[in-house]
Coordinates of all heavy atoms in Angstrom, one line a residue:
A24 N 16.1 1.0 -7.2 CA 14.9 1.4 -6.5 C 15.2 1.8 -5.0 O 16.0 1.1 -4.4 CB 13.8 0.3 -6.5
S25 N 14.6 2.8 -4.5 CA 14.8 3.2 -3.2 C 13.5 3.7 -2.6 O 12.5 3.9 -3.3 CB 15.9 4.3 -3.0 OG 15.5 5.5 -3.7
G26 N 13.4 4.0 -1.3 CA 12.2 4.4 -0.7 C 11.5 3.2 0.0 O 12.1 2.3 0.5
S27 N 10.2 3.2 -0.1 CA 9.4 2.1 0.4 C 9.3 1.0 -0.6 O 8.4 0.9 -1.4 CB 8.0 2.7 0.7 OG 7.2 1.7 1.3
I28 N 10.3 0.1 -0.6 CA 10.5 -0.9 -1.6 C 9.9 -2.2 -1.2 O 10.2 -3.2 -1.9 CB 12.0 -1.0 -2.0 CG1 12.9 -1.2 -0.7 CG2 12.5 0.2 -2.7 CD1 13.1 -2.6 -0.3
F29 N 9.1 -2.2 -0.2 CA 8.4 -3.5 0.2 C 7.6 -4.0 -0.9 O 6.8 -3.3 -1.6 CB 7.6 -3.2 1.5 CG 6.9 -4.5 2.0 CD1 7.6 -5.4 2.8 CD2 5.6 -4.7 1.8 CE1 7.0 -6.5 3.2 CE2 4.9 -5.8 2.3 CZ 5.6 -6.7 3.0
S30 N 7.6 -5.3 -1.1 CA 6.8 -6.0 -2.1 C 6.9 -5.6 -3.5 O 6.0 -5.6 -4.3 CB 5.3 -5.9 -1.6 OG 5.1 -6.6 -0.4
I31 N 8.1 -5.2 -3.9 CA 8.4 -5.0 -5.3 C 8.4 -6.3 -6.0 O 9.0 -7.3 -5.6 CB 9.8 -4.3 -5.5 CG1 9.8 -2.9 -4.9 CG2 10.2 -4.3 -7.0 CD1 9.0 -2.0 -5.7
S32 N 7.6 -6.4 -7.1 CA 7.4 -7.7 -7.8 C 8.2 -7.6 -9.1 O 9.4 -7.9 -9.1 CB 5.9 -7.9 -8.0 OG 5.3 -6.9 -8.7
T33 N 7.5 -7.3 -10.2 CA 8.2 -7.3 -11.5 C 8.9 -6.0 -11.7 O 8.4 -4.9 -11.4 CB 7.2 -7.5 -12.6 OG1 6.6 -8.8 -12.4 CG2 7.9 -7.5 -14.0
M34 N 10.1 -6.0 -12.3 CA 10.8 -4.9 -12.7 C 11.2 -5.1 -14.2 O 11.4 -6.2 -14.6 CB 12.1 -4.6 -11.9 CG 11.8 -4.4 -10.4 SD 13.3 -4.0 -9.5 CE 13.6 -2.3 -10.0
G35 N 11.3 -4.0 -14.9 CA 11.7 -4.1 -16.3 C 12.0 -2.8 -17.0 O 12.2 -1.8 -16.4
W36 N 12.1 -2.9 -18.3 CA 12.5 -1.8 -19.2 C 11.6 -1.6 -20.4 O 11.3 -2.6 -21.1 CB 13.9 -2.0 -19.7 CG 14.9 -2.1 -18.6 CD1 15.3 -3.2 -17.9 CD2 15.7 -1.0 -18.1 NE1 16.3 -2.9 -17.0 CE2 16.6 -1.5 -17.1 CE3 15.8 0.4 -18.4 CZ2 17.5 -0.8 -16.4 CZ3 16.7 1.2 -17.7 CH2 17.5 0.6 -16.7
Y37 N 11.1 -0.4 -20.6 CA 10.5 0.0 -21.8 C 11.4 0.9 -22.6 O 12.3 1.5 -22.0 CB 9.2 0.8 -21.5 CG 8.0 -0.1 -21.2 CD1 7.7 -0.5 -20.0 CD2 7.1 -0.4 -22.3 CE1 6.6 -1.3 -19.7 CE2 5.9 -1.2 -22.0 CZ 5.7 -1.6 -20.7 OH 4.6 -2.3 -20.4
R38 N 11.2 1.0 -23.9 CA 11.9 2.0 -24.6 C 10.9 2.8 -25.6 O 9.9 2.2 -26.0 CB 13.1 1.4 -25.4 CG 12.7 0.5 -26.5 CD 13.9 -0.2 -27.1 NE 13.7 -1.1 -28.2 CZ 14.6 -1.8 -28.8 NH1 15.8 -1.8 -28.4 NH2 14.2 -2.7 -29.7
Q39 N 11.3 4.0 -25.8 CA 10.5 4.9 -26.7 C 11.4 5.6 -27.6 O 12.4 6.3 -27.2 CB 9.7 5.9 -25.8 CG 8.8 6.8 -26.6 CD 7.6 6.1 -27.2 OE1 6.8 5.6 -26.5 NE2 7.5 6.2 -28.5
A40 N 11.1 5.5 -28.9 CA 11.9 6.3 -29.9 C 10.9 7.1 -30.8 O 9.8 6.6 -31.0 CB 12.7 5.3 -30.8
P41 N 11.4 8.2 -31.3 CA 10.5 9.0 -32.2 C 10.0 8.2 -33.4 O 10.8 7.5 -34.0 CB 11.4 10.2 -32.6 CG 12.4 10.3 -31.5 CD 12.7 8.9 -31.1
G42 N 8.7 8.3 -33.6 CA 8.2 7.6 -34.7 C 8.0 6.1 -34.5 O 7.6 5.4 -35.5
R43 N 8.2 5.6 -33.3 CA 8.1 4.2 -33.1 C 7.2 3.9 -31.9 O 7.0 4.7 -31.0 CB 9.5 3.5 -32.8 CG 10.4 3.6 -34.0 CD 11.7 2.8 -33.7 NE 12.6 2.8 -34.8 CZ 13.7 2.1 -34.9 NH1 14.1 1.4 -33.8 NH2 14.5 2.2 -36.0
Q44 N 6.6 2.7 -31.9 CA 5.7 2.3 -30.9 C 6.5 2.1 -29.6 O 7.7 1.6 -29.6 CB 5.0 1.0 -31.3 CG 4.0 0.5 -30.3 CD 2.6 1.1 -30.4 OE1 2.4 1.9 -31.3 NE2 1.7 0.8 -29.5
R45 N 5.9 2.5 -28.5 CA 6.6 2.2 -27.2 C 6.6 0.7 -27.1 O 5.7 -0.1 -27.4 CB 5.7 2.7 -26.0 CG 6.4 2.5 -24.7 CD 5.4 2.6 -23.5 NE 4.9 4.0 -23.5 CZ 3.9 4.3 -22.6 NH1 3.3 3.4 -21.8 NH2 3.4 5.6 -22.6
E46 N 7.8 0.2 -26.6 CA 8.1 -1.2 -26.7 C 8.5 -1.7 -25.3 O 9.4 -1.1 -24.7 CB 9.1 -1.5 -27.7 CG 9.5 -3.0 -27.8 CD 10.6 -3.3 -28.9 OE1 11.4 -2.4 -29.1 OE2 10.6 -4.4 -29.5
L47 N 7.9 -2.8 -24.8 CA 8.4 -3.5 -23.6 C 9.6 -4.3 -24.0 O 9.5 -5.2 -24.8 CB 7.3 -4.3 -23.0 CG 7.8 -5.2 -21.8 CD1 8.2 -4.3 -20.7 CD2 6.6 -6.1 -21.3
V48 N 10.8 -3.9 -23.5 CA 12.0 -4.5 -23.9 C 12.2 -5.8 -23.2 O 12.5 -6.9 -23.8 CB 13.2 -3.6 -23.7 CG1 14.5 -4.3 -24.0 CG2 13.1 -2.3 -24.5
A49 N 12.1 -5.8 -21.9 CA 12.3 -7.0 -21.1 C 11.8 -6.7 -19.7 O 11.7 -5.6 -19.2 CB 13.8 -7.3 -21.0
H50 N 11.4 -7.8 -19.0 CA 11.1 -7.7 -17.6 C 11.5 -8.9 -16.8 O 11.7 -10.0 -17.5 CB 9.6 -7.4 -17.4 CG 8.6 -8.4 -17.9 ND1 8.0 -8.4 -19.1 CD2 8.2 -9.5 -17.2 CE1 7.3 -9.5 -19.2 NE2 7.3 -10.2 -18.1
I51 N 11.5 -8.8 -15.5 CA 12.0 -9.9 -14.7 C 11.2 -9.9 -13.4 O 10.9 -8.8 -12.8 CB 13.5 -9.8 -14.4 CG1 14.0 -11.0 -13.6 CG2 13.9 -8.5 -13.8 CD1 15.5 -11.1 -13.5
S52 N 10.7 -11.1 -13.0 CA 10.0 -11.2 -11.8 C 10.9 -11.3 -10.6 O 12.1 -11.4 -10.7 CB 9.1 -12.4 -11.8 OG 9.8 -13.6 -11.7
S53 N 10.3 -11.2 -9.4 CA 11.1 -11.3 -8.2 C 11.8 -12.7 -8.0 O 12.8 -12.8 -7.4 CB 10.3 -11.0 -7.0 OG 9.2 -11.9 -6.9
S54 N 11.2 -13.7 -8.7 CA 11.7 -15.0 -8.6 C 12.7 -15.3 -9.8 O 13.3 -16.4 -9.8 CB 10.6 -16.0 -8.7 OG 9.9 -15.9 -9.9
G55 N 12.9 -14.3 -10.6 CA 13.9 -14.5 -11.7 C 13.4 -14.9 -13.0 O 14.3 -15.0 -14.0
N56 N 12.2 -15.0 -13.2 CA 11.6 -15.3 -14.6 C 11.8 -14.1 -15.4 O 11.4 -13.0 -15.0 CB 10.2 -15.7 -14.5 CG 10.0 -17.0 -13.8 OD1 10.8 -17.9 -13.8 ND2 8.8 -17.2 -13.1
T57 N 12.2 -14.3 -16.7 CA 12.5 -13.2 -17.6 C 11.7 -13.3 -18.9 O 11.2 -14.4 -19.2 CB 14.0 -13.1 -18.0 OG1 14.3 -14.4 -18.6 CG2 14.8 -12.9 -16.7
S58 N 11.5 -12.2 -19.5 CA 10.8 -12.2 -20.8 C 11.4 -11.1 -21.6 O 11.8 -10.0 -21.1 CB 9.3 -11.9 -20.6 OG 8.6 -11.9 -21.9
Y59 N 11.5 -11.3 -23.0 CA 12.2 -10.3 -23.8 C 11.4 -10.1 -25.1 O 10.6 -11.0 -25.6 CB 13.6 -10.9 -24.3 CG 14.5 -11.1 -23.2 CD1 14.7 -12.3 -22.6 CD2 15.4 -10.0 -22.8 CE1 15.6 -12.5 -21.5 CE2 16.3 -10.2 -21.8 CZ 16.4 -11.5 -21.2 OH 17.3 -11.7 -20.1
A60 N 11.5 -8.9 -25.6 CA 10.9 -8.6 -26.9 C 11.7 -9.3 -28.0 O 12.9 -9.6 -27.8 CB 11.0 -7.1 -27.2
D61 N 11.0 -9.7 -29.0 CA 11.6 -10.5 -30.1 C 12.8 -9.7 -30.7 O 13.8 -10.3 -31.1 CB 10.6 -10.8 -31.2 CG 9.6 -11.9 -30.8 OD1 9.9 -12.6 -29.8 OD2 8.6 -12.0 -31.4
S62 N 12.7 -8.4 -30.7 CA 13.7 -7.6 -31.3 C 15.0 -7.6 -30.6 O 16.0 -7.2 -31.2 CB 13.2 -6.1 -31.5 OG 12.8 -5.6 -30.2
V63 N 15.0 -8.0 -29.3 CA 16.3 -8.0 -28.5 C 16.7 -9.4 -28.1 O 17.8 -9.5 -27.4 CB 16.1 -7.0 -27.3 CG1 15.7 -5.7 -27.8 CG2 15.2 -7.6 -26.3
K64 N 15.9 -10.4 -28.3 CA 16.3 -11.7 -27.9 C 17.7 -12.1 -28.4 O 18.0 -11.9 -29.6 CB 15.2 -12.7 -28.3 CG 14.0 -12.7 -27.5 CD 13.0 -13.7 -28.0 CE 11.7 -13.7 -27.2 NZ 10.7 -14.7 -27.7
G65 N 18.5 -12.7 -27.6 CA 19.8 -13.1 -27.9 C 20.8 -12.0 -27.8 O 22.0 -12.3 -27.9
R66 N 20.4 -10.8 -27.6 CA 21.4 -9.7 -27.6 C 21.3 -9.0 -26.2 O 22.4 -8.5 -25.7 CB 21.1 -8.6 -28.6 CG 21.2 -9.2 -30.1 CD 21.1 -8.1 -31.1 NE 19.7 -7.4 -31.0 CZ 19.6 -6.1 -30.7 NH1 20.6 -5.4 -30.5 NH2 18.3 -5.6 -30.7
F67 N 20.1 -8.9 -25.6 CA 20.0 -8.2 -24.3 C 19.8 -9.3 -23.2 O 19.2 -10.3 -23.4 CB 18.8 -7.3 -24.3 CG 18.9 -6.1 -25.2 CD1 20.0 -5.9 -26.1 CD2 18.0 -5.0 -25.1 CE1 20.1 -4.8 -26.9 CE2 18.1 -3.9 -25.9 CZ 19.1 -3.8 -26.8
T68 N 20.2 -8.9 -22.0 CA 20.0 -9.8 -20.9 C 19.5 -8.9 -19.7 O 20.2 -7.9 -19.3 CB 21.3 -10.5 -20.5 OG1 21.7 -11.3 -21.6 CG2 21.0 -11.4 -19.3
I69 N 18.4 -9.2 -19.1 CA 18.0 -8.5 -17.9 C 18.3 -9.4 -16.7 O 18.2 -10.6 -16.7 CB 16.4 -8.3 -18.0 CG1 16.0 -7.3 -16.9 CG2 15.6 -9.5 -18.0 CD1 14.6 -6.8 -17.0
S70 N 18.7 -8.7 -15.7 CA 19.1 -9.4 -14.4 C 18.6 -8.5 -13.2 O 18.3 -7.3 -13.4 CB 20.5 -9.7 -14.3 OG 21.3 -8.5 -14.4
R71 N 18.7 -9.1 -12.1 CA 18.1 -8.4 -10.9 C 18.9 -8.7 -9.7 O 19.2 -9.9 -9.5 CB 16.6 -8.7 -10.8 CG 15.9 -8.1 -9.6 CD 14.4 -8.4 -9.7 NE 13.7 -7.8 -8.6 CZ 12.3 -7.8 -8.6 NH1 11.6 -8.2 -9.6 NH2 11.7 -7.2 -7.6
D72 N 19.2 -7.7 -8.9 CA 19.8 -7.9 -7.6 C 18.7 -7.5 -6.5 O 18.5 -6.4 -6.2 CB 21.0 -7.0 -7.4 CG 21.8 -7.3 -6.1 OD1 21.2 -7.8 -5.2 OD2 22.9 -6.9 -6.0
N73 N 18.1 -8.5 -6.0 CA 17.0 -8.3 -5.0 C 17.5 -7.6 -3.8 O 16.8 -6.8 -3.2 CB 16.2 -9.6 -4.7 CG 15.4 -10.0 -5.9 OD1 15.0 -9.3 -6.7 ND2 15.1 -11.3 -5.9
A74 N 18.6 -8.0 -3.3 CA 19.2 -7.4 -2.1 C 19.4 -5.9 -2.2 O 19.2 -5.1 -1.2 CB 20.5 -8.1 -1.7
N75 N 19.7 -5.4 -3.4 CA 20.0 -4.0 -3.6 C 18.8 -3.4 -4.4 O 18.9 -2.2 -4.7 CB 21.3 -3.8 -4.4 CG 22.5 -4.2 -3.6 OD1 22.6 -3.8 -2.4 ND2 23.4 -4.9 -4.2
N76 N 17.8 -4.1 -4.7 CA 16.6 -3.6 -5.4 C 17.0 -2.9 -6.7 O 16.6 -1.8 -7.0 CB 15.8 -2.6 -4.5 CG 15.3 -3.3 -3.3 OD1 14.5 -4.2 -3.4 ND2 15.8 -2.9 -2.1
T77 N 17.8 -3.5 -7.4 CA 18.4 -3.0 -8.7 C 18.1 -4.0 -9.8 O 18.3 -5.2 -9.7 CB 19.9 -2.7 -8.5 OG1 20.1 -1.8 -7.4 CG2 20.4 -2.1 -9.8
V78 N 17.7 -3.4 -11.0 CA 17.6 -4.2 -12.2 C 18.6 -3.7 -13.2 O 18.8 -2.5 -13.3 CB 16.1 -4.1 -12.7 CG1 15.7 -2.7 -13.1 CG2 15.9 -5.1 -13.8
Y79 N 19.1 -4.6 -14.0 CA 20.1 -4.3 -15.0 C 19.6 -4.7 -16.4 O 18.9 -5.7 -16.5 CB 21.4 -5.0 -14.7 CG 22.0 -4.7 -13.3 CD1 21.7 -5.5 -12.2 CD2 22.8 -3.6 -13.1 CE1 22.2 -5.3 -11.0 CE2 23.3 -3.3 -11.8 CZ 23.0 -4.2 -10.8 OH 23.5 -3.9 -9.5
L80 N 20.1 -4.0 -17.4 CA 19.9 -4.5 -18.7 C 21.2 -4.4 -19.5 O 21.7 -3.3 -19.8 CB 18.9 -3.6 -19.4 CG 18.4 -4.0 -20.8 CD1 17.7 -5.3 -20.8 CD2 17.6 -3.0 -21.5
Q81 N 21.8 -5.6 -19.7 CA 23.0 -5.7 -20.5 C 22.6 -5.8 -22.0 O 21.9 -6.7 -22.4 CB 23.8 -7.0 -20.1 CG 25.1 -7.2 -20.9 CD 26.1 -6.1 -20.6 OE1 26.4 -5.8 -19.5 NE2 26.7 -5.6 -21.7
M82 N 23.1 -4.8 -22.7 CA 22.8 -4.7 -24.1 C 24.0 -4.9 -25.0 O 25.0 -4.1 -24.9 CB 22.2 -3.3 -24.4 CG 21.0 -3.0 -23.6 SD 20.2 -1.4 -24.0 CE 21.5 -0.3 -23.6
N83 N 24.0 -6.0 -25.7 CA 25.2 -6.4 -26.6 C 24.7 -6.3 -28.0 O 23.5 -6.3 -28.4 CB 25.7 -7.7 -26.3 CG 26.2 -7.9 -24.9 OD1 26.8 -6.9 -24.3 ND2 26.1 -9.0 -24.3
S84 N 25.7 -6.3 -28.9 CA 25.4 -6.2 -30.4 C 24.4 -5.2 -30.7 O 23.5 -5.4 -31.5 CB 25.0 -7.6 -30.8 OG 25.9 -8.6 -30.6
L85 N 24.6 -4.0 -30.2 CA 23.6 -2.9 -30.4 C 23.5 -2.5 -31.9 O 24.5 -2.5 -32.6 CB 24.0 -1.7 -29.5 CG 23.7 -1.9 -28.0 CD1 24.4 -0.9 -27.2 CD2 22.2 -1.7 -27.8
K86 N 22.3 -2.2 -32.2 CA 22.0 -1.8 -33.6 C 21.4 -0.4 -33.5 O 20.9 0.1 -32.5 CB 20.9 -2.7 -34.2 CG 21.3 -4.2 -34.2 CD 20.1 -5.0 -34.6 CE 20.5 -6.5 -34.7 NZ 19.3 -7.3 -35.1
P87 N 21.5 0.4 -34.7 CA 20.9 1.7 -34.7 C 19.4 1.7 -34.3 O 19.0 2.7 -33.7 CB 21.1 2.1 -36.2 CG 22.3 1.4 -36.6 CD 22.2 0.1 -35.9
E88 N 18.7 0.7 -34.6 CA 17.3 0.7 -34.2 C 17.0 0.5 -32.7 O 15.9 0.6 -32.3 CB 16.5 -0.4 -35.0 CG 17.2 -1.8 -34.9 CD 18.0 -2.1 -36.1 OE1 18.8 -1.2 -36.6 OE2 17.9 -3.2 -36.7
D89 N 18.1 0.2 -32.0 CA 18.0 0.2 -30.5 C 18.0 1.6 -29.9 O 17.8 1.8 -28.7 CB 19.1 -0.6 -29.9 CG 19.1 -2.1 -30.3 OD1 17.9 -2.6 -30.3 OD2 20.1 -2.6 -30.5
T90 N 18.3 2.6 -30.7 CA 18.3 4.0 -30.3 C 16.9 4.4 -29.7 O 15.9 4.3 -30.4 CB 18.7 4.9 -31.4 OG1 20.1 4.6 -31.8 CG2 18.7 6.4 -30.9
A91 N 16.9 4.8 -28.5 CA 15.7 5.2 -27.8 C 16.0 5.7 -26.4 O 17.1 5.6 -26.0 CB 14.7 4.0 -27.7
T92 N 14.9 6.3 -25.8 CA 15.0 6.5 -24.4 C 14.5 5.3 -23.7 O 13.4 4.8 -24.0 CB 14.2 7.8 -24.0 OG1 14.6 8.9 -24.8 CG2 14.3 8.1 -22.5
Y93 N 15.2 4.8 -22.7 CA 14.9 3.6 -22.0 C 14.4 4.0 -20.6 O 15.1 4.8 -19.9 CB 16.1 2.7 -21.9 CG 16.4 2.0 -23.2 CD1 17.0 2.7 -24.3 CD2 16.2 0.6 -23.3 CE1 17.2 2.0 -25.5 CE2 16.5 0.0 -24.5 CZ 17.0 0.7 -25.6 OH 17.3 0.0 -26.7
Y94 N 13.3 3.4 -20.3 CA 12.6 3.7 -19.0 C 12.5 2.4 -18.2 O 11.9 1.4 -18.7 CB 11.2 4.3 -19.2 CG 11.2 5.6 -19.9 CD1 11.1 5.7 -21.3 CD2 11.3 6.8 -19.2 CE1 11.1 6.9 -21.9 CE2 11.2 8.0 -19.8 CZ 11.1 8.1 -21.2 OH 11.1 9.3 -21.9
C95 N 13.0 2.4 -17.0 CA 12.7 1.3 -16.1 C 11.4 1.5 -15.3 O 11.0 2.6 -15.1 CB 13.9 1.0 -15.2 SG 14.1 2.2 -13.8
Y96 N 10.9 0.4 -14.9 CA 9.7 0.4 -14.1 C 9.7 -0.7 -13.0 O 10.5 -1.6 -13.2 CB 8.4 0.3 -14.9 CG 8.2 -1.1 -15.4 CD1 7.4 -2.0 -14.7 CD2 8.7 -1.6 -16.6 CE1 7.1 -3.3 -15.2 CE2 8.5 -2.8 -17.1 CZ 7.7 -3.7 -16.4 OH 7.5 -5.0 -16.8
A97 N 8.9 -0.4 -12.0 CA 8.8 -1.4 -10.9 C 7.4 -1.5 -10.5 O 6.7 -0.5 -10.3 CB 9.7 -1.0 -9.7
N98 N 6.9 -2.7 -10.4 CA 5.5 -2.9 -9.9 C 5.6 -3.3 -8.4 O 6.5 -4.1 -8.0 CB 4.9 -4.1 -10.6 CG 4.5 -3.7 -12.0 OD1 4.2 -2.6 -12.3 ND2 4.5 -4.7 -12.9
Q99 N 4.7 -2.7 -7.6 CA 4.7 -2.9 -6.2 C 3.3 -3.4 -5.7 O 2.3 -2.8 -6.1 CB 5.1 -1.6 -5.4 CG 5.1 -1.8 -3.9 CD 5.3 -0.5 -3.2 OE1 4.7 0.5 -3.5 NE2 6.3 -0.4 -2.3
N100 N 3.3 -4.4 -5.0 CA 2.1 -4.9 -4.3 C 2.2 -4.5 -2.9 O 3.0 -5.0 -2.1 CB 2.0 -6.4 -4.5 CG 1.9 -6.9 -5.9 OD1 1.1 -6.3 -6.7 ND2 2.5 -8.0 -6.2
G101 N 1.4 -3.6 -2.5 CA 1.4 -3.1 -1.1 C 0.8 -4.1 -0.2 O 0.1 -5.0 -0.6
P102 N 1.0 -3.8 1.1 CA 0.5 -4.8 2.1 C -1.0 -4.8 2.2 O -1.6 -5.9 2.5 CB 1.1 -4.3 3.4 CG 1.3 -2.8 3.2 CD 1.7 -2.7 1.8

Side-chain angles (χ1 to χ4, degrees):
S25 63
S27 183
I28 50 93
F29 181 79
S30 293
I31 294 291
S32 55
T33 301
M34 299 183 74
W36 298 87
Y37 280 86
R38 65 185 181 186
Q39 180 73 60
R43 295 187 179 183
Q44 184 84 3
R45 183 199 297 173
E46 181 180 29
L47 176 61
V48 177
H50 65 264
I51 183 169
S52 72
S53 58
S54 61
N56 293 329
T57 60
S58 182
Y59 297 92
D61 288 340
S62 57
V63 307
K64 285 181 179 177
R66 300 187 297 118
F67 290 12
T68 302
I69 190 170
S70 61
R71 180 171 179 169
D72 183 343
N73 288 334
N75 293 316
N76 299 295
T77 302
V78 64
Y79 305 93
L80 187 67
Q81 178 67 46
M82 305 184 294
N83 298 326
S84 302
L85 282 162
K86 304 175 180 180
E88 51 262 44
D89 296 318
T90 296
T92 303
Y93 286 70
Y94 298 89
C95 71
Y96 74 92
N98 291 329
Q99 181 186 48
N100 297 318

